[in-house]
Amino acid sequence: MASAQPVQAQGESDIDTALAAAAEDELSGVTSIVIMQDGALLAEHYFDEGGANAVRNTRSATKTVTGMLAGIAIADGTLGLDAKIPGFFPEHEPLNPDLRKENVTVEDLLTMSSIAECNDSNSFSRGNEERMYLIEDWVGFYLDLPVRGFPAWSARPEDSPYGRAFSYCTAGVVTLGAVIEKATGKQLEDFAATRLFAPLGIDKAEWQFSPLGVAMGGGGLALTSKSLASLGQLFLDSGKAGQTQVFSSDWASASLEPHASIDDGRGFEYGYLFWIQPFSVGGETVSARLMSGNGGNKVIVQPETNSVTVITTTNFGQRDAHAKSERLYEKYILPVLHQNHGGGTTH
C-alpha cells in the first residue's frame, strides 16, 4: 500500500476518515482515491499493490475520453456535431436500412440518444454490448441495428426533455471512436497520445481493441489514477493544460451541460458522454459530472467546489458497486470539499 500526504491541511482529518472508510468491508474493493481541489492535490491513496504507477481499467469511463477526442477533432474542423455517421462508412451496406438511420449524427452518439435499438441495460436489446462482443465487426454491429421502437409507456424523442430519448449504448461510442479515426486519418490511440495525453504528461495508456483492431472507445482504457484526475481537471480549466489549449473552452462547457434526461426517477441527466448527477451536502443539492465505469469506477468533476475526485475499484459486475462509490464520495469526501470552499461557494 502506498500513499501521498495531502498538500492542503484544511480538512485533512476528514479526508483520513474517508480513506479509512474505503478500507472497511462496507466499501471494500476500492483500489485508489485521488482528490484535487483548486488545481492542487488534496489526497492520494492506493489500496492495491500497484500504487501510483499502476494503470487501472476503469471500463466505461473511457467513453468520456472518446468524447474529449471528438471535441478536439471538432475544434480542428475535421469533424462536426451534425456530421452523419453512415457517411463515414460508405463501404458498409447495413442490414435494416432506414432513412432515419442515415440521419444519425455525431451529437446523437455523444448524448446516447441515437435512433438505433441499443440498450445495454436491457439484456433483450438487439444492441446490448454483450452481443457486440460475440462478433468480429463491432462498428458493423452498430450500423446494422434496427430502428428503436417507442411503445406507449416510453417517451418519444420529441416528447422528451432536450428533444432526446436517452438509451445507454456502448456500441454507439465504439462507432464514434471509429468515426474520429476516419475524420482525423489517425488511429484513435495515436490521436489520443499526441493531442490529449501528451499535453497532460500522460505516457502510460493501455487500450483494448476490437477483433478488427479498432481501439475500444467505449471502455477498457487503463490509465493511472492521477492521469484520470488530470483529465477531469481539464474541464475545470476550460480545456487548458498549462499553456496548451487541449480542447476549446466551449467544448469543456458544452460537455458538462445537460443534453438528455435519464428517465429512471433519480434526477440524472447526460452531457457529452458525461453523467450529470445530484448529490446532497450541507443541506443543499449540488450537481457533479461523472466519468463512470463498471465496478463503481468514477472521475467526479464538481464545479461548485472546484474539485476532481477519482475513485477506482475492482468491484466489477457487482449490483451495488456504483452505490458504494457514490456513498463514499457523498458521505465522506464531498463534505470536506464543500467545507474547504466555504460551504460550496464558487470562486
Side-chain angles (χ1 to χ4, degrees):
M1 180 186 298
S3 65
Q5 292 297 319
V7 298
Q8 185 171 334
Q10 187 174 9
E12 182 176 345
S13 62
D14 297 312
I15 288 294
D16 287 344
T17 300
L19 299 178
E24 296 297 322
D25 289 343
E26 180 191 4
L27 297 170
S28 62
V30 172
T31 53
S32 74
I33 296 175
V34 174
I35 306 170
M36 296 184 67
Q37 188 166 35
D38 297 328
L41 182 67
L42 181 63
E44 178 187 9
H45 197 90
Y46 301 94
F47 301 85
D48 59 8
E49 295 180 357
N53 294 322
V55 295
R56 295 174 177 83
N57 183 341
T58 51
R59 302 292 176 91
S60 284
T62 306
K63 291 179 171 68
T64 316
V65 175
T66 300
M68 297 179 206
L69 298 175
I72 294 170
I74 288 170
D76 288 348
T78 59
L79 189 63
L81 277 175
D82 295 330
K84 303 293 196 301
I85 299 304
F88 290 94
F89 307 98
E91 72 283 0
H92 186 83
E93 296 183 9
L95 301 173
N96 307 296
D98 189 290
L99 182 60
R100 290 168 291 178
K101 289 172 60 175
E102 295 297 316
N103 290 321
V104 171
T105 67
V106 166
E107 189 169 26
D108 292 333
L109 299 187
L110 284 165
T111 56
M112 297 280 192
S113 59
S114 85
I115 199 67
E117 194 291 288
C118 184
N119 186 350
D120 292 350
S121 300
N122 186 339
S123 61
F124 294 100
S125 172
R126 190 83 62 88
N128 186 285
E129 68 172 308
E130 297 302 328
R131 299 175 187 270
M132 177 182 72
Y133 299 137
L134 299 177
I135 69 170
E136 183 180 56
D137 184 359
W138 294 357
V139 174
F141 172 87
Y142 173 80
L143 296 173
D144 286 339
L145 291 173
V147 167
R148 180 182 173 189
F150 294 94
W153 56 87
S154 179
R156 301 178 65 84
E158 58 268 27
D159 300 324
S160 302
Y162 312 103
R164 295 185 175 276
F166 178 87
S167 183
Y168 191 81
C169 176
T170 293
V173 186
V174 170
T175 302
L176 178 60
V179 165
I180 295 168
E181 290 192 347
K182 294 269 191 175
T184 63
K186 300 180 182 296
Q187 297 296 110
L188 193 69
E189 66 274 20
D190 295 334
F191 188 61
T194 57
R195 298 299 303 279
L196 178 59
F197 296 158
L200 294 170
I202 297 173
D203 57 7
K204 296 176 69 174
E206 295 180 2
W207 291 84
Q208 303 292 322
F209 294 87
S210 78
L212 294 181
V214 177
M216 172 50 158
L221 172 64
L223 296 166
T224 69
S225 300
K226 288 181 74 172
S227 293
L228 290 165
S230 68
L231 289 170
Q233 186 66 35
L234 271 177
F235 290 90
L236 296 178
D237 292 340
S238 300
K240 291 189 72 173
Q243 299 303 310
T244 303
Q245 192 73 50
V246 179
F247 47 77
S248 72
S249 60
D250 287 345
W251 186 259
S253 297
S255 296
L256 302 183
E257 293 171 357
H259 297 284
S261 180
I262 301 173
D263 186 19
D264 62 2
R266 295 182 296 172
F268 287 20
E269 294 181 306
Y270 206 70
Y272 286 159
L273 296 174
F274 258 109
W275 295 88
I276 302 174
Q277 182 172 341
F279 288 94
S280 297
V281 62
E284 60 183 278
T285 299
V286 298
S287 182
R289 276 66 173 169
L290 286 77
M291 300 167 58
S292 185
N294 189 321
N297 285 284
K298 309 285 182 186
V299 179
I300 306 172
V301 179
Q302 214 293 300
E304 286 82 2
T305 57
N306 199 28
S307 65
V308 177
T309 300
V310 175
I311 300 172
T312 65
T313 88
T314 53
N315 293 324
F316 303 120
Q318 293 185 19
R319 188 172 183 177
D320 64 344
H322 287 294
K324 276 186 177 183
S325 296
E326 290 159 11
R327 187 163 62 250
L328 173 63
Y329 177 73
E330 185 173 58
K331 183 176 180 179
Y332 297 103
I333 297 172
L334 182 56
V336 176
L337 301 172
H338 188 260
Q339 178 184 2
N340 286 352
H341 257 236
T345 303
T346 304
H347 62 83

